[in-house]
Every structure is written in structure tokens, then in C-alpha cells.
Amino acid sequence: VQRYAREVRMRLAGHLIIHDKNLIYTVALRLGYASQAVFSRALKRINAYPPSVMRQRSARSINKVNV
């Protein structure tokens, strides 16, 4: 049950990081993390990169589509 909850939380985190303009800190708090650092480590453990890199990569791919 914990594993499933963590996976759902991380999917939501990815969605919010890519589609939401809020600060990563705000996303972390919204998902119940005590700090951005803890959130970043958790997301990096799952996705291999931290939230800031996810956001940068998604912005680049969106810009390529729009060009």
C-alpha cells in the first residue's frame, strides 16, 4: 500500500512540476513534504533527476514543438 501511494504521489509530482507554474517548493509542500530538499531526493530516487531538471527538460521539449 505504501509503495502504491508513493508511486501515485510521484506521478502527481511529475505532472505538477511539468504543468504547474508554482515553485517546486510549493509543489513539495502541496504533496505533504516537509521541505523541498526531501521532495527533491524522493523524486530523484524515482526519476533519476531532480524536479528542476524535469521542469527544464519539459520546457525545452515544449519549445521544440512550438518552434
Side-chain angles (χ1 to χ4, degrees):
V1 174
Q2 273 186 322
R3 184 178 182 183
Y4 175 76
R6 184 174 45 245
E7 288 174 9
V8 169
R9 198 171 170 191
M10 289 296 110
R11 265 189 255 128
L12 179 57
H15 177 81
L16 291 173
I17 289 167
I18 292 169
H19 299 289
D20 197 352
K21 299 295 182 193
N22 284 324
L23 297 172
I24 293 170
Y25 171 76
T26 305
V27 174
L29 291 179
R30 184 173 172 188
L31 293 173
Y33 286 89
S35 71
Q36 181 177 337
V38 173
F39 172 67
S40 293
R41 279 193 301 272
L43 197 62
K44 187 176 178 181
R45 210 175 301 124
I46 302 293
N47 294 325
Y49 13 81
S52 58
V53 173
M54 286 180 66
R55 186 169 272 174
Q56 289 169 357
R57 286 182 177 199
S58 72
R60 272 190 246 135
S61 66
I62 289 170
N63 287 337
K64 285 181 183 178
V65 171
N66 291 333
V67 172

